[in-house]
Amino acid sequence: MGTEQKKYITLEELQRHRNRSDLWISVDGKVYDVTKWIDDHPGGEIPLLNLAGQEATDPFLAFHPPSSRKLLDRFFVGHLLSFDNDVHQLSKDYRLLVARLSKLGLFEERGHVVRLSLLLMLSLLSAAVYLVCRTTSTWAHLAAGMMVGFLWTQSGWVAHDSGHRDVAAWWAKRVVNRLVQLLSANCLTGVSMVWWKRTHNVHHVACNSLEFDPDLQHVPLFAVSSKLFGSLTSFFYERRMSFDSFAMLLVSHQHLSFYPVMCVARLNLFAQSIVLLLSKRKVPGRFMELVGVMVFWIWYSWLVSCLPSSKERTMFVGACFSVTGIQHILFCLSHFSSSVYVGRPKGEEWCKMQIIGSLNINCPPWMDWFYGGIQFQVEHHLFPRLPRCHLRAVSSAVRELCMKHGLRYESVGFMEANRRTLSTLKAAALQAAKTENASAVKNLVWEAINING
């Protein structure tokens, strides 16, 4: 008689609370009202909105350390009815695997990857400055440009690491982690860390959703599926991706323009960062973000200005962008040729969508520094908090998980990954060309019919 009566909430009732002004989620059979937490959520508001009104245990486990559960208690509403009966076996096995890795301490053991990467970044920057300022050889200046390109690439991997977890294992690690973010992203590459986290967290939650994943929303330049020809709405950019005649023309040649566009893809990151930082959106640490980006443009502009001629400056900048373009190609190889879908991500299918929406790239251990951890894209999407030095070690366990549940564990060589990506782009390009031709014929017929009014 004295026992407190539990409040139970049905799945149907949970699903009714799925908008910004009324947002509930469920984690481990408990329902939480996180409406007032949206603006303060460190991962941004969009991941919460994408999973609103759903059972979200798997993505919560993937992105949050165990200490985050204490924060949820203040938002508790009730218990989800029939929770245990609705959990898929894949999710159960995934959660057991997360618990196993956590017990082994793999999420906390950071290794020396970031420290070595920072040392490599410092060496590349110093060598590039020396070659530009202390030598007169055109070839030396070209080499300096390539070094800066590799610097941007390695800085990107460190920023990626620090965006998913604290990379420092020493005192005041969160302060150090923030400094690493500002240094590696803003100061050395000119990309806002806040912009990156805002975009990348959504990509992880909505992996390969044509409507919700910003990493697949490149219309009018690229379309990985003919489903994008229907002018879908981007819930990230909050606009309709119009597939007009201009987009049709560009997409019909996308398999030819892919590599040239990747060579200058860094310009998009520069532009997106500045647009966000100067927008009216809430940007945590906006002042420091702006200062960091300004530091990049100051040192990079100065370095370019030290070159003796406009020809060498052009060659230097071209080398920077071309080398870092390899990183942008790697981003595309990981997902462009994998399964896509239309619609909101589903919390109960989150684990499955990470596996079938990702592609691994085979490489020897000594090349891991070059790929920055995303060669194990399946593992990284399942365990984004896992330091990249442990991804190779857990790959066999992930492969077994896939085999048990009849899911293909896609892992191919670099050249095969390129072939698949180009094949995907070419298939969509041919469909776009057919659509364009059909549209042209339709317009001609319409004009002929109405030629006399």
Side-chain angles (χ1 to χ4, degrees):
M1 293 292 292
T3 303
E4 183 181 352
Q5 186 176 3
K6 287 186 177 181
K7 179 181 179 181
Y8 288 98
I9 297 170
T10 64
L11 184 60
E12 291 73 18
E13 182 180 357
L14 172 65
Q15 292 171 345
R16 287 197 290 268
H17 303 270
R18 56 182 305 172
N19 57 67
R20 188 181 185 88
S21 59
D22 183 16
L23 201 162
W24 290 9
I25 60 169
S26 173
V27 176
D28 273 336
K30 295 181 179 180
V31 179
Y32 303 94
D33 181 355
V34 294
T35 308
K36 296 181 180 180
W37 177 241
I38 296 177
D39 292 332
D40 298 316
H41 184 229
E45 76 281 2
I46 302 179
L48 286 176
L49 291 169
N50 286 355
L51 295 170
Q54 298 189 54
E55 205 292 309
T57 302
D58 290 347
F60 180 86
L61 278 177
F63 290 104
H64 301 84
S67 58
S68 299
R69 290 183 178 276
K70 297 178 181 178
L71 182 64
L72 283 176
D73 291 340
R74 66 170 112 161
F75 307 121
F76 178 74
V77 175
H79 297 269
L80 187 64
L81 194 64
S82 303
F83 166 72
D84 292 332
N85 296 330
D86 296 332
V87 179
H88 296 180
Q89 188 59 46
L90 174 60
S91 291
K92 291 181 180 179
D93 290 341
Y94 168 70
R95 295 168 195 180
L96 287 174
L97 184 53
V98 171
R100 196 170 105 203
L101 299 182
S102 182
K103 187 175 181 179
L104 291 172
L106 296 186
F107 290 107
E108 302 301 323
E109 290 182 9
R110 292 163 179 83
H112 302 288
V113 172
V114 171
R115 298 177 193 177
L116 292 175
S117 296
L118 290 172
L119 181 61
L120 176 60
M121 289 155 50
L122 178 62
S123 301
L124 287 169
L125 180 59
S126 301
V129 171
Y130 176 83
L131 290 176
V132 169
C133 299
R134 295 295 183 180
T135 66
T136 58
S137 169
T138 300
W139 292 108
H141 295 163
L142 179 62
M146 296 175 68
M147 288 179 181
V148 172
F150 278 115
L151 167 67
W152 290 353
T153 301
Q154 290 302 310
S155 297
W157 299 141
V158 173
H160 180 252
D161 291 338
S162 63
H164 278 297
R165 74 196 72 85
D166 290 332
V167 296
W170 51 84
W171 178 77
K173 61 182 180 180
R174 291 196 174 181
V175 175
V176 174
N177 196 68
R178 179 58 176 152
L179 290 176
V180 170
Q181 291 177 352
L182 288 171
L183 174 66
S184 58
N186 300 59
C187 296
L188 290 179
T189 66
V191 178
S192 166
M193 191 65 199
V194 170
W195 171 83
W196 178 88
K197 289 181 69 175
R198 185 174 184 272
T199 306
H200 198 66
N201 286 338
V202 177
H203 161 66
H204 269 269
V205 169
C207 179
N208 276 27
S209 167
L210 297 177
E211 292 177 292
F212 287 82
D213 185 355
D215 282 12
L216 291 186
Q217 297 171 354
H218 303 298
V219 174
L221 288 174
F222 303 119
V224 297
S225 170
S226 60
K227 295 176 182 178
L228 286 166
F229 299 174
S231 297
L232 299 177
T233 297
S234 166
F235 285 83
F236 180 82
Y237 294 110
E238 298 177 335
R239 61 175 174 80
R240 193 166 182 80
M241 297 179 286
S242 299
F243 197 78
D244 52 21
S245 57
F246 179 64
M248 199 178 300
L249 175 64
L250 293 181
V251 169
S252 63
H253 298 88
Q254 63 181 0
H255 55 300
L256 302 175
S257 64
F258 175 66
Y259 292 115
V261 169
M262 290 299 105
C263 286
V264 293
R266 184 54 58 109
L267 290 173
N268 179 53
L269 273 62
F270 292 157
Q272 293 283 355
S273 297
I274 293 173
V275 167
L276 176 64
L277 294 180
L278 297 182
S279 71
K280 295 181 180 180
R281 293 183 181 275
K282 181 179 179 181
V283 179
R286 187 192 301 266
F287 177 74
M288 292 303 297
E289 290 284 317
L290 282 169
V291 170
V293 171
M294 288 175 61
V295 167
F296 165 78
W297 286 111
I298 290 172
W299 76 259
Y300 186 63
S301 300
W302 168 79
L303 191 60
V304 173
S305 69
C306 290
L307 293 164
S309 66
S310 58
K311 180 181 178 181
E312 290 204 15
R313 293 186 192 109
T314 302
M315 193 167 57
F316 178 88
V317 172
C320 295
F321 278 84
S322 297
V323 170
T324 198
I326 299 173
Q327 186 178 56
H328 293 277
I329 292 173
L330 292 176
F331 293 150
C332 297
L333 299 184
S334 301
H335 299 287
F336 270 26
S337 63
S338 299
S339 298
V340 299
Y341 65 100
V342 176
R344 184 183 298 272
K346 298 180 180 179
E348 67 272 14
E349 294 184 0
W350 180 86
C351 187
K352 175 184 176 182
M353 301 316 296
Q354 306 307 306
I355 294 172
I356 67 175
S358 302
L359 176 70
N360 282 6
I361 300 176
N362 299 327
C363 76
W366 65 270
M367 279 290 288
D368 285 351
W369 67 273
F370 176 77
Y371 288 94
I374 67 167
Q375 73 275 30
F376 294 105
Q377 192 68 216
V378 177
E379 287 77 7
H380 172 60
H381 266 258
L382 289 175
F383 315 109
R385 291 190 299 110
L386 191 68
R388 59 170 137 147
C389 57
H390 299 313
L391 292 174
R392 186 177 291 274
V394 304
S395 61
S396 57
V398 172
R399 192 184 294 269
E400 291 176 6
L401 179 70
C402 294
M403 289 180 61
K404 179 179 178 180
H405 295 278
L407 299 173
R408 279 186 78 179
Y409 178 88
E410 295 278 10
S411 185
V412 300
F414 178 75
M415 298 304 295
E416 173 61 16
N418 276 270
R419 189 199 67 77
R420 290 191 181 194
T421 297
L422 288 177
S423 178
T424 298
L425 293 174
K426 187 175 182 179
L430 292 175
Q431 289 177 297
K434 290 179 181 178
T435 304
E436 185 178 21
N437 293 335
S439 178
V441 171
K442 181 179 178 180
N443 291 336
L444 287 172
V445 172
W446 178 258
E447 291 178 8
I449 292 174
N450 293 276
I451 195 167
N452 293 319

